[in-house]
Amino acid sequence: MASTAPYRIVVAGGGTAGWMAAAALVRFLGAGFTVSLVESDAIGTVGVGEATIPQIRMFNASLGIDEDAFVAATQASYKLAIEFVGWTKSGRYMHAFGEVGRDNGLLAFRHTWLRGMAEGVAEPLAAYALNNVAALGNRMQRGPARTARVLPEMPYAFHFDAGLYARFLRDYAEARGVVRHEGRIEAVARAGEDGNLQALHLDGDRRIEGDLFLDCTGFHARLIGEAMGVGYRDWSHWLPCDRALAVPSARARDFTPYTRATAHGAGWQWRIPLQHRTGNGIVYSSRHLSDDAAAAALLAGLDEPALADPRPLRFTAGRREQCWAGNVIALGLASGFLEPLESTSIHLIQSAIERVLTLLPGARAIAPLRNRYNRQAAQEMERIRDFLTLHYWANDRDEPFWRERREAPLPDGLAEKIALWRASGEIDREDGDLFSDVAWLQVLAGQGIAAEGHHPLADAPPAAQIAEYLDLIAKLNAREAAQMAPHSEFVRAHGAADAEIAA
Ligand SMILES: Cc1cc2nc3c(=O)[nH]c(=O)nc-3n(C[C@H](O)[C@H](O)[C@H](O)COP(=O)(O)OP(=O)(O)OC[C@H]3O[C@@H](n4cnc5c(N)ncnc54)[C@H](O)[C@@H]3O)c2cc1C
């Protein structure tokens, strides 16, 4: 006989991961489930994580959240791209969301562009990406392009205040029935044979029982690491930055609809403009840069005065050997960490939540679901790891840190991908890869890796026709961007938290 007792899901941790998970679970699981969340104000959250990628819009929309209300509640700004400055000697480029150019039947745009480059009639890739052109002009628009027949709609994401987002989702989740317990998890109770968790013991002699536990306790990994003893796969030989300092500064006059990632002698520095302040941070390798020197570099690179002292964070790039062990699934920082160079961590939470909902065990046999979950989670992180590693490897800087990166062996899949691009202009997108061909294209080209060939179909039209085609796309992009609203004006109309958004 089927059990009528509710299936109890316990979320441990109330940072971005915990509240995203609780909000989604309560939204999508109906009667028959209970969701509770444990968090400790005394421990607090990591307090960073402000730049996102466009998929976050789907998450918010699936919860029925009004976008303008969310932008206002989280002091958000809009994000069209990430600008990379100083990663090579030739300066700067953007990884913009969305399309670059227009494919021609079977022929991917990159081949037409490569032919154009070979003929000397093409501009840098940036001119052919609407998001890139709009971002550089500090412009923003949502909805179909004016020339919708030819140009795509611009995908966008947000920069937001992570603390305010967690608060926003907490209100959402509690209003729909999630029960919050404030307190520190001091011990866990495990069942005999399979070693599954039965309950969390909180300070004050409280016991929270559950059937499934989501470990969202951040770097503490209180359940997956401490209780279940699952190890950590260290990727620092590929991504050696192991420290960060984060500091807010006064609201930027240059209110850009993009994140900036500026390379320095032993890592890079981020700049994330929000409505009420700018989020800044420096990511570095402690083998190459002292904490004091990092703090000095961070503060020297701010546009506006700092609003607080820099806050230190330590991490090791890598992932949990298994994100799901027994009846514990790790989400967020408890499941692994890849530095925020491509703003992927919050997305990894989102996709883990989708996977939890899809593979939710209930009364079913756990092992096959768990194996599938773990395979998919590993693959997803490995692809992102490769994408980040590419940024570091393909550099022509002179400092010891960067020379080391250039000489370090690459993960196998990445080495093959680079070789394929170099020889043929092809991009092999592997299963589970979050990043599109066009994302890889922008970073491969932006980091200065030249393709020596292109598809033979791109050789068919005469050079003049290629030039005309490329010129048309560039002109349409420029014209479309010119009629968009300035970013600050757009925020004022769509989610201003107060009347005084930087002009
Ligand atoms: C330097 C840096 C920059 C980043 N930038 C970005 C970015 O731009 N974009 C992006 O997508 N991501 C970014 N991230 C990642 C992002 O911050 C995290 O993915 C996100 O904040 C989720 O964190 P979390 O909820 O897993 O952990 P946390 O925010 O640390 O939350 C952990 C929760 O668990 C609770 N907890 C822990 N132990 C216990 C216990 N024993 N008992 C009870 N409660 C407990 C804490 O109180 C807290 O509520 C960045 C991370 C770092 C380190």
Side-chain angles (χ1 to χ4, degrees), residues 207-230:
R207 177 182 161 96
I208 314 289
E209 292 190 350
D211 299 300
L212 183 71
F213 294 82
L214 302 187
D215 185 352
C216 302
T217 59
F219 288 132
H220 302 273
R222 181 69 186 80
L223 306 188
I224 196 85
E226 266 185 57
M228 303 304 285
V230 175

Side-chain angles (χ1 to χ4, degrees), residues 19 115 123 332 345 352 368 418 478 500:
W19 284 114
R115 164 91 194 284
E123 292 183 47
S345 285
I418 293 170
E500 264 190 83

